[in-house]
Every structure is written in C-alpha cells, then in structure tokens.
Amino acid sequence: MSFISQIVGDPNQRFLNKIRPLMEKVNEFEPEFERLSDAQIKDKTGEFRERLAKGEALDDLLPEAFAAVREASKRAIGLRPFDVQILGGAALHQGKIAEMKTGEGKTLAATLAVYLNALEGKGVHVVTVNDYLSKRDTNWMGSIYNALGVNVGCIVHDKAYLYEPAGAPDKNEVTVEMENLKEVPRKAAYDADITYGTNNEFGFDYLRDNMVQDVSQMAQRGHYFAVVDEVDSILIDEARTPLIISAPDAESTKLYETFTKIIPKLNENADYNVDEKMKAATLTDEGIEKVEKILGMEIYTEGGVRYVHQLEQALRAHVLFKKDRDYVVKDGEVIIVDEFTGRMMFGRRYSGGLHQAIEAKEGVKVQQESRTLATITFQNYFRMYKKLAGMTGTALTNAEEFTSVYKLDVIAIPTNKTLARHDLPDKIYQTETGKFQAVLGEIKERHKNGQPVLVGTVSIEKNELLGAFLKKEGIPHQILNAKNHEKEAQIIAEAGRKGAVTVATNMAGRGVDIILGGRIDSSGKEEWQKEHDEVVAAGGLHIIGTERHEARRIDNQLRGRAGRQGDPGSSVFMVSLEDDLMRVFGSDKIKRMMEVFNLPEDQSIENRMISKALEAAQGKIEGYNFDIRKHVLEYDDVMNKQRETIYRKRKEILESDNAVRPAARETGEAGESEFADENAPGDNDRAPLHDQIMEMAASEIKKVVNFHAVEDYFDNWNYEEIGEIANSMFGLIEEERNKIRDFKDKEELAGYLRGLAEKRYAEKEAQFGEKAMRAVEKAVMLQTIDMLWMDHLDNMDHLRDSVRLRAYGQRDPLVEYKNEGHHLFQELLANIQTQVVNMIFKVEITQQASEARMQAAPVSQKIFTNKEEAAAGGSPKADNGVGRNDPCPCGATHLDGRPKKYKHCCGK
C-alpha cells in the first residue's frame, strides 16, 4: 500500500466496504426466494419491471434481483453464487471492472448485473473473446435467464441464435454441442433481452448497420449496457487495431509477386536496416539501387508512389513477419494469428498491402487490395455504451489506461478461498537450446510424479518445436495452438488429469477452467474424486512459462491457470538470453553478467537483478504499446466526430418515412453540415427528404448566383454561366433561360430559379408517383453519402500519412490532421449537397417494373441517370463488362458518370 493510501485509506477497500451491505441484503432475501416455486421465480421479472415503470431505480431492486438470480442458478445449473461473486456482480452493475482471479466464477457473477440491467428492456450486450465462449455461455447461462423469464441471444461470425431449452440437461455438465441454441436471424438475437457475442461481431454489426439501404436491415437496437469479459484482452490488447470493412480495389497485385522474388537477394545492414523494437524495415540507398538494377527502371521517377509502397511492404513481410508466429497458412490462405491469444483471426487482414505482400511471400493467391468502406476503433465503439463494465483476472497493471480512456475504475474482488499457488522465481539460461533441455527435464520429473503440467509458449513455432521434443522423449502430451483451436475447450478441460502434459500458446484455453482430476464424466464422481485427490497430493497443476511475454498481464494470466478456488499449484518461468524479449530489450550489462558466471547451457541462474531487468523491459514495452493505442485513439477521435455526423444523417434518412419537420443542423468540432436546414428546431423534428432536397437545391442556387453575380453592377453578371449551370442542374426551356437576364437583383434571381427547381421536382414526382419518389430520394441520398464518405476515408488515410512528415518542420502532426481534416469534412458535406442536387433531377425509373417488383427489390437497382438509358432498359457496359447501372454485389447502383476507375459506387 502506498504512503498516501495509508493516510486516506485504500480506495479499493473503501468500495468493497460500501457494497458489502448490499451483499448482506441479498443473503437476507435468500430464505424467502428458496420458498418460491419455479413459476413464482419467473413471475418476479414481471414484478420487477412493473416497479421500474412506477419509478423505482435499479439500485432499489438490486438485492431482490440478485437473490432471484442466485436461486435460479441453484435450480437451473446447480451452482450457488458465492458472496464474493455477489460483490463482483455489484461492481459490474456500478460500471466498474471487477478483477476476479481465475476460477472465481466471472461468468456466473456477470449474470447478476446482466439480469438486473436487462429489466430495463433496452438490451444488454455480454462481450466475449471468441465465438466458442459466446455460444458456451449462452447455452450454459441461458438456463438461468430462462428460469427468470428473460430471453437471451447469441451472435457469432456467420450465425445468430436464441436460447431455447431442448430438454433437461445435467446441472453439473455443460456440453459443447450447444443443443439449446436455435438459429435465428441476426436482428432477432439483438432484440433479445441479453445478447452474447464477440467484440469483433458487435463492432462489425455496428458498421454494417450504418451501410444498409433500409432501416429494416439494421440489426442492433442501441448501446445501453455492455459487460466485457476478459476486458484487458479486448479493450487493451486488441485496441491497437481498428475494425475495418473494405471492398476489393481494382489495382494490380502483380508487383507484390515481383518484389517478393527480389527481397531475398538483398542483404541486411547493407541493402536494408531492421529495427525490431519499432517493428520497422527501411531500404538503404544501396538497396534501392540494387532493386532498380534488377527491375531495369528508376523506382521513384518511373514507378511512382505505388512501386515504393509495395516494395516497402514486401520488405516488411519478409523480415518482420514470420510464419507460425504472426500468421499461419491454411487452405491456401494467410490467416493472422492474434499475438495475445494465439488464436487465428478469420476474416481479418493486414491493411496497406501488407497482407498481399505476405501472400506473395508464401506463394498463395494474392488477393486484391481493398478500399475502406467503414472503420472504427474498439475504444470509440465501446465508449458509445451508456454504461460499460468489465471483468478479468488481470486488470490492475493497466488500471491507468482503463481510467484515462474508458473512465473505468478497477476493483479487486477478494477470492472465495485463500490462494495456495506457489510462484517460483524465474530460471534464466544462456541459450535457448539449454533452456529447452531444462524444460524437458522439468516436465519429465513432474510427469513421473503424476503432476499435471501446462506449458505456455509465445508462438506456434515454439509450441510445435517443444511438442516434437516431447514426442522424441516418449512423453504423452496434447498440443494446443491456433491450428487446432476447435478442440480448445476439450483439451484444456482435461489438462488437470493425473500426469497430463499440455503445451499451449500462452493464452489458449482462456475462459475454460482447469479442474484437478479432469472433468466429471460418465466414469462417475467416485473415480474422479480418487484422481482429484492424487493430483492434489502431487502438488496440483504446475505451470511452466517458456518465455516472458511483452506484457506482464499475459504472464500473470498464464500463472492464473493454476490455483483455482484454493487448489494447490505452482508456476515458474524458464527464460534465456536468446528469447526475443531479452535479445531486443535486454541490456548488455545483463548479458555480460551472465557470461561472467560461465554456466553450462542447461544450468540456470536465479538472480533478482536479472528478473527485475526483465520486468523493467516489460514495463517499457507496455508503455510503448500504450502510446501506440493512445496515438491511434487521438487520430480516430477526429474521425469519430465526423463519423457520428454522417451516421446520424444516414439514420435520419433511413427513418425519414416518419419524419415531419425540418432537420436539425449537424454541428460539432468536425464542422456544420451544409446539407441541413438553417432554421432547424431540434434533433427530433426531422424534415421529409423532399423538403431537405429542395433546401439543398436552394443552397446550391444561392451559391451559383452569388459566385457569378458578384459585382454590384448587373452589367458584369455572368448570366450565361448561371443559365448553363441551372440547365445542367434541373433543365431549362429557352424561354426560362432568356428570362434570367431580366433580373437585376440577386435575391429575386435566386428566388426565380428556386421556383423553377420546385416546378421540375413536382413534375418528376407526378411522373413517378409519390411512393416511388420517396424511395428514389432515399436511395439517391444514401448512395451519395456512402460513395463520397468512402472517398473521404481514403483522403483522411492519406492525410494521416502525410502529416507525419510535418513533425520535421516543428509542427504537431495531430494538430495539422485536425485542421486539415476539418476542411476535408467541410468539403465532403458541400460535395454531398452538390451531388444530390445534380443527381435527383436526372433520375429516371424503368416503367416496366410492376408494383410487386418495386416492393421486392431495392429501388436503387432500377435507377438510371437519363431517359435514354431507361428507355433502353439498361446501360452501356464498362471496361470490365459490368453495366454502369447494373446492381453491385452490395445491391447499390451507379447513379452518375463516375470516372472509369470507380466501376461501381461501392468500389467493388
């Protein structure tokens, strides 16, 4: 405890003292709820909701609601939440991070806060680290929620489910078959009171919802309350990489294949330099000359930016990214391996052409590069929730980041039983070979005594290498890494059996308890109890870490696999000077010190100074990674203001059928929208799209008149240009065009042109019919926003790259990014307005479409840019054989004569 804490008291203990009375009240209600029938327990949910409707607060209901969950849990799955789990549930309800050690029952503790907040009927999201845990927890905890009369859904990568009891499962056994999950549409899973899913799926669904063409296609219904399981993994480890939805770009990928043959011919320190700390690789002048000689061209002058960019990515792919560490090749695809969890990240790709460079390096099909359609960071996604909470076994080391970024306080919940695990000091070896020899010796000795061993490695490569050594020694073992993650739960569940040896990437199996003696199966409890007692007598689960991870948290998580619920256990880290952490970040002083001892390869030294140096190196890396995440967030905060404005406008358009009043002005740091009404009364009174479009037209007309009638003397006005622009905008007959010259007042001229625009619009509406015109307005506005927003994302991405160089001119890149980003966003809003006005008057709809067909297919698929195309029933084909107005795979249609590089408005 710090000196200040000794004076003012430990804030963690103060919080626990504050919520202990709540725990005692829950315990007081327990006898009362034990007397209730199953039906009466279920009826309590309706009673609680009625009380909320009458003005009671959730805090008033907490003791009874928690007591109801405790009783439902006892009856449904045979588990009674401990008092410390009640404390954890209360911390979650109050929007805190509950740090609960491994095996303390975080999954069950979460049900208390989740149920209480689900009573509001606004939807509660429970976020897990992988699809298996989402399905497992829905299938397992679903029986508790079902007993309480609330429904629960689950979203995974490609499916969605609702919990629906299939029978009466064994209360002590949770199967992996997920027999209680019924497949449903994604929206149905989100409409449930509680929805389980991964952080990626929640984030991507949010982005997809802001790309739909009709409000009925949206899945999510808001962001009220989220409980994030393994919160450090999701909000810290994965927060360096934003979520991106992209579409293939037409740019050639041949260069990657060319450059991947050249890079092996280059020599490190002569042709290029590698900085492993910064994870950077740069070509020297000599290297560039060598590449140019091989290609027979000057890269910078003849090849341009694209050649330079792809060459640099090819270099990074070869020297910084390793197979079976950073990625695996499976079924002809390069799949990223999460450096923190050791799991394959299906559907995720490195950006900026790096993934293509790795594909070329590995000799698999090189996919096209992509254009960003939508993107958001995890930080900004989770900060949208009205209330956010989390739970993990290791959060205190990152408490500062949780507080500064998410406004989340960390509360350490005491264990139910005293921790009995024995953590041994680090064993340090000179070489990696000597270390692995010692690891094998340690495993053999523990295995011989019947003690189960879990070995953690930092990569698949080392994981499989150790597996090969064990096989050679004849030691039976299980290998767990990203290549066989499907069996993760089964392998980890059996890791506590007598003499079991499990070799896993450091984080694999997280979320699944290791029970000493293994799972209780059909062999019966007596057999299990006998084996359990033998394992306890042997010392419990022994953890061996073969390397220190970059983050101390990850090491603590590995240690935490042993010693659950007061079980005996032990842990040790066996490291060498050749490990990446020591090689890159370790000091020369440590290396010289080890050389002085002159120990054999397989003999270790236990030295406090070296152990402290290791931890100091980890602290430096943690600080560096925090700076990276902070840097990503600072830039995304600029984009977030703009994204909120665009997505809010988009939602207004989608919901425009119910709108009755002029739209509110879009304001914010990003700038004021130029396509919103100037006299807006409020956010809730949105204009019909017809009125908004006519206001845009009036604004465009005013801009044209002011620009070409700038002189005080009308003799200098450019009437001809005004007439040409008005004609291109909404069409003029000769008489109307001639009449323009009669006006000597700018306001009167603008008023005359506005009247003509309204007249043309009325004619268009009479031609199409009111219903079809409303659909056309929606399609034109949505597609214009989507197309220009995608271009804007590219522009902002390029801007971010370019402002970095301004630091050399003593200018803050972030300030430059904010200022220029503001101007780019103002241009975007102006371009949206101009594009909509120039498009809406030119739209035609095919007359062959029947009313039934109009309802069955999106109107956007039947929009043409002129009468000639509509009469022909189609459009000229682009160079790639796709009609300019043929529907894209996304359902969108090209609405104007874009340059040829934009084959369709969605970029596909």
Side-chain angles (χ1 to χ4, degrees):
M1 191 182 294
S2 69
F3 176 71
I4 295 174
S5 295
Q6 291 179 42
I7 297 173
V8 301
D10 181 6
N12 192 85
Q13 192 58 48
R14 285 207 309 271
F15 179 83
L16 292 175
N17 292 340
K18 183 180 175 183
I19 62 175
R20 280 188 193 279
L22 293 174
M23 179 193 74
E24 291 164 4
K25 284 185 180 179
V26 174
N27 290 337
E28 288 172 10
F29 276 110
E30 187 168 15
E32 178 184 328
F33 278 81
E34 284 177 334
R35 292 192 293 270
L36 298 178
S37 66
D38 290 351
Q40 288 172 319
I41 290 284
K42 184 171 285 192
D43 290 342
K44 278 289 179 182
T45 296
E47 178 192 318
F48 293 150
R49 283 177 167 158
E50 284 179 17
R51 288 164 59 182
L52 279 174
K54 290 177 181 176
E56 284 194 58
L58 288 178
D59 288 345
D60 299 329
L61 297 176
L62 187 149
E64 292 171 80
F66 278 25
V69 175
R70 174 181 266 176
E71 189 58 32
S73 177
K74 284 155 59 177
R75 299 183 190 189
I77 63 173
L79 295 176
R80 176 189 178 275
F82 303 125
D83 285 354
V84 291
Q85 288 172 299
I86 299 294
L87 293 176
L92 293 174
H93 166 64
Q94 295 189 22
K96 311 285 186 185
I97 291 176
E99 183 182 86
M100 301 174 69
K101 299 300 180 186
T102 300
E104 290 296 305
K106 293 185 290 291
T107 304
L108 185 57
T111 60
L112 299 157
V114 167
Y115 169 72
L116 176 62
N117 285 270
L119 295 173
E120 290 273 18
K122 297 177 183 178
V124 176
H125 295 169
V126 185
V127 188
T128 67
V129 292
N130 60 47
D131 284 348
Y132 166 75
L133 291 177
S134 296
K135 291 167 69 177
R136 185 205 70 173
D137 292 353
T138 306
N139 188 61
W140 187 14
M141 300 295 108
S143 53
I144 299 175
Y145 299 126
N146 183 62
L148 291 163
V150 295
N151 54 358
V152 57
C154 171
I155 56 164
V156 293
H157 177 57
D158 53 353
K159 291 179 182 176
Y161 304 92
L162 277 179
Y163 177 85
E164 192 173 278
D170 184 344
K171 292 180 180 180
N172 296 314
E173 178 75 13
V174 181
T175 63
V176 296
E177 284 74 27
M178 314 300 176
E179 70 277 5
N180 297 316
L181 301 184
K182 175 188 175 184
E183 194 169 337
V184 295
R186 213 164 184 81
K187 191 175 188 309
Y190 276 111
D191 286 342
D193 296 308
I194 301 157
T195 307
Y196 282 81
T198 65
N199 51 321
N200 288 334
E201 293 310 309
F202 283 121
F204 279 131
D205 282 342
Y206 167 72
L207 293 177
R208 283 189 284 259
D209 277 356
N210 285 286
M211 296 171 65
V212 300
Q213 299 298 308
D214 191 272
V215 71
S216 64
Q217 298 168 345
M218 297 180 75
Q220 293 184 346
R221 58 179 174 131
H223 299 87
Y224 167 60
F225 178 47
V227 175
V228 184
D229 192 9
E230 308 297 3
V231 67
D232 51 337
S233 175
I234 290 172
L235 297 189
I236 300 291
D237 297 337
E238 297 195 34
R240 277 190 286 176
T241 307
L243 292 171
I244 298 173
I245 293 180
S246 59
D249 197 359
E251 202 168 291
S252 171
T253 57
K254 292 291 183 186
L255 278 178
Y256 289 111
E257 297 171 2
T258 302
F259 288 137
T260 200
K261 296 173 184 174
I262 294 175
I263 298 300
K265 299 176 183 178
L266 306 181
N267 299 312
E268 187 178 354
N269 298 326
D271 300 320
Y272 63 87
N273 294 315
V274 177
D275 186 337
E276 291 190 74
K277 289 186 180 181
M278 298 294 292
K279 294 186 178 178
T282 53
L283 285 162
T284 62
D285 289 342
E286 292 79 4
I288 293 168
E289 286 179 14
K290 185 181 284 189
V291 173
E292 288 178 336
K293 190 174 181 180
I294 295 170
L295 290 174
M297 65 180 290
E298 292 187 10
I299 294 175
Y300 284 88
T301 54
E302 297 176 53
V305 175
R306 186 158 63 96
Y307 273 61
V308 176
H309 169 72
Q310 295 193 5
L311 175 60
E312 288 175 347
Q313 294 294 50
L315 177 64
R316 290 186 68 212
H318 274 267
V319 302
L320 293 174
F321 290 80
K322 294 182 181 178
K323 183 179 177 182
D324 289 343
R325 185 191 71 182
D326 302 297
Y327 62 89
V328 295
V329 178
K330 184 176 181 181
D331 300 328
E333 285 187 60
V334 171
I335 301 170
I336 299 172
V337 172
D338 190 312
E339 64 174 303
F340 298 103
T341 65
R343 298 188 178 99
M344 286 190 284
M345 303 172 73
F346 292 98
R348 297 284 289 273
R349 292 176 64 82
Y350 294 115
S351 59
L354 177 59
H355 210 96
Q356 286 79 2
I358 294 173
E359 287 170 332
K361 167 190 167 186
E362 295 298 337
V364 302
K365 183 181 177 182
V366 180
Q367 304 293 329
Q368 287 182 322
E369 288 194 66
S370 56
R371 296 189 67 207
T372 300
L373 302 181
T375 179
I376 192 171
T377 59
F378 281 125
Q379 290 101 320
N380 275 322
Y381 174 74
F382 282 106
R383 291 197 300 192
M384 289 193 301
Y385 284 90
K386 184 179 178 182
K387 184 164 70 172
L388 182 65
M391 50 191 183
T392 181
T394 48
L396 285 173
T397 53
N398 289 90
E400 181 188 348
E401 186 168 352
F402 283 124
T403 303
S404 63
V405 175
Y406 302 101
K407 304 293 187 289
L408 288 172
D409 294 328
V410 179
I411 302 300
I413 306 297
T415 55
N416 185 50
K417 294 180 180 178
T418 304
L419 183 66
R421 187 184 68 239
H422 183 39
D423 295 329
L424 302 170
D426 290 358
K427 294 183 177 181
I428 302 147
Y429 301 83
Q430 288 227 41
T431 66
E432 187 177 66
T433 303
K435 176 187 72 176
F436 275 118
Q437 289 174 356
V439 168
L440 281 171
E442 178 98 355
I443 293 171
K444 285 171 75 173
E445 183 182 342
R446 303 274 180 174
H447 174 69
K448 183 180 177 182
N449 294 331
Q451 186 174 11
V453 180
L454 175 64
V455 186
T457 63
V458 297
S459 69
I460 299 171
E461 180 186 17
K462 302 289 172 61
N463 184 271
E464 293 180 338
L465 176 65
L466 187 54
F469 289 156
L470 288 169
K471 187 176 181 181
K472 189 176 179 181
E473 293 289 333
I475 300 173
H477 62 281
Q478 289 281 359
I479 292 286
L480 178 56
N481 57 41
K483 293 183 178 180
N484 64 341
H485 70 104
E486 297 90 350
K487 300 176 183 177
E488 179 177 323
Q490 295 95 313
I491 293 174
I492 284 295
E494 297 301 320
R497 296 193 78 93
K498 182 180 177 182
V501 177
T502 309
V503 183
T505 45
N506 269 358
M507 292 272 293
R510 189 173 179 180
V512 181
D513 279 342
I514 299 178
I515 301 171
L516 300 187
R519 288 189 298 180
I520 305 173
D521 53 28
S522 55
S523 62
K525 188 158 186 178
E526 288 184 12
E527 287 293 321
W528 171 83
Q529 188 65 53
K530 180 183 175 185
E531 185 169 345
H532 172 79
D533 294 341
E534 289 174 352
V535 171
V536 169
L541 181 65
H542 182 58
I543 304 291
I544 301 175
T546 58
E547 281 186 50
R548 282 285 192 171
H549 199 276
E550 285 188 356
R552 288 167 293 176
R553 252 182 327 100
I554 311 300
D555 294 341
N556 292 337
Q557 286 156 8
L558 181 62
R559 285 193 196 275
R561 307 304 300 167
R564 63 179 294 280
Q565 287 296 324
D567 284 341
S570 54
S571 70
V572 65
F573 276 87
M574 306 174 76
V575 300
S576 81
L577 293 185
E578 293 179 349
D579 294 346
D580 287 345
L581 184 73
M582 287 299 290
R583 184 174 53 80
V584 177
F585 295 95
S587 68
D588 292 334
K589 184 179 178 181
I590 295 172
K591 294 169 185 174
R592 285 196 301 270
M593 206 167 87
M594 284 293 289
E595 289 170 2
V596 168
F597 289 111
N598 196 25
L599 298 172
E601 275 194 338
D602 61 347
Q603 189 170 335
S604 67
I605 181 174
E606 296 175 12
N607 185 287
R608 182 177 290 183
M609 185 183 295
I610 296 178
S611 294
K612 282 188 175 181
L614 272 169
E615 291 187 7
Q618 289 175 307
K620 286 180 186 176
I621 301 168
E622 287 169 6
Y624 172 68
N625 288 336
F626 180 26
D627 289 341
I628 291 176
R629 290 189 292 270
K630 187 179 177 184
H631 187 68
V632 168
L633 182 60
E634 285 172 341
Y635 279 86
D636 193 61
D637 279 343
V638 178
M639 278 299 303
N640 203 45
K641 301 277 186 187
Q642 301 177 3
R643 179 168 44 239
E644 286 174 356
T645 299
I646 290 296
Y647 284 178
R648 186 166 61 247
K649 170 57 64 179
R650 225 182 164 281
K651 193 172 182 183
E652 284 180 15
I653 295 168
L654 287 170
E655 297 174 346
S656 61
D657 293 342
N658 302 320
V660 292
R661 288 278 298 155
R665 297 175 77 153
E666 303 288 356
T667 58
E669 193 176 303
E672 188 172 273
S673 170
E674 293 185 33
F675 58 97
D677 177 47
E678 294 184 1
N679 303 305
D683 286 336
N684 296 323
D685 302 324
R686 293 188 289 271
L689 296 185
H690 167 275
D691 294 351
Q692 289 189 41
I693 290 172
M694 293 318 300
E695 287 159 9
M696 292 183 198
S699 177
E700 285 297 298
I701 289 167
K702 186 177 180 180
K703 279 198 297 185
V704 171
V705 171
N706 286 339
F707 186 82
H708 292 288
V710 69
E711 301 288 343
D712 292 335
Y713 299 102
F714 57 83
D715 288 343
N716 294 326
W717 289 5
N718 194 339
Y719 287 110
E720 185 176 348
E721 191 63 33
I722 293 171
E724 285 181 6
I725 295 173
N727 183 56
S728 68
M729 197 182 296
F730 48 80
L732 299 176
I733 60 176
E734 188 174 352
E735 180 185 345
E736 293 167 341
R737 197 162 179 171
N738 292 335
K739 191 175 180 180
I740 289 175
R741 295 181 177 275
D742 296 340
F743 292 93
K744 315 302 179 187
D745 180 85
K746 287 193 287 188
E747 290 298 325
E748 290 179 2
L749 175 55
Y752 170 69
L753 292 175
R754 282 199 304 270
L756 291 179
E758 289 172 0
K759 179 182 176 184
R760 295 289 182 272
Y761 205 86
E763 291 170 357
K764 183 76 63 179
E765 187 166 326
Q767 175 191 351
F768 294 164
E770 187 178 348
K771 184 177 179 181
M773 193 64 194
R774 298 292 82 78
V776 167
E777 291 166 349
K778 186 179 290 188
V780 167
M781 291 188 75
L782 287 176
Q783 292 178 20
T784 301
I785 289 172
D786 291 347
M787 179 173 62
L788 294 179
W789 176 244
M790 184 170 66
D791 290 342
H792 180 72
L793 289 176
D794 283 345
N795 292 337
M796 292 295 287
D797 204 33
H798 295 148
L799 173 64
R800 182 173 174 176
D801 289 337
S802 67
V803 295
R804 290 173 185 158
L805 298 175
R806 301 184 193 180
Y808 295 109
Q810 305 302 310
R811 288 187 288 177
D812 187 335
L814 182 60
V815 172
E816 296 286 304
Y817 182 75
K818 285 179 179 178
N819 291 337
E820 294 202 25
H822 172 80
H823 295 308
L824 284 175
F825 190 63
Q826 292 284 58
E827 286 180 20
L828 168 68
L829 301 181
N831 289 339
I832 289 173
Q833 175 173 287
T834 302
Q835 189 91 335
V836 168
V837 173
N838 282 307
M839 192 183 302
I840 195 71
F841 292 97
K842 300 178 181 67
V843 168
E844 295 292 336
I845 299 180
T846 54
Q847 299 300 312
Q848 299 96 325
S850 64
E851 186 69 22
R853 187 179 164 200
M854 287 288 291
Q855 292 174 355
V859 173
S860 60
Q861 293 189 14
K862 292 175 283 297
I863 292 179
F864 297 90
T865 59
N866 55 56
K867 292 181 180 179
E868 290 72 29
E869 289 181 3
S875 65
K877 299 294 178 184
D879 291 346
N880 62 352
V882 179
R884 190 176 72 194
N885 299 307
D886 291 349
C888 290
C890 67
T893 303
H894 217 13
L895 296 178
D896 66 336
R898 301 287 287 164
K900 284 183 180 179
K901 68 175 181 177
Y902 298 97
K903 299 301 182 187
H904 287 88
C905 55
C906 68
K908 291 190 177 181

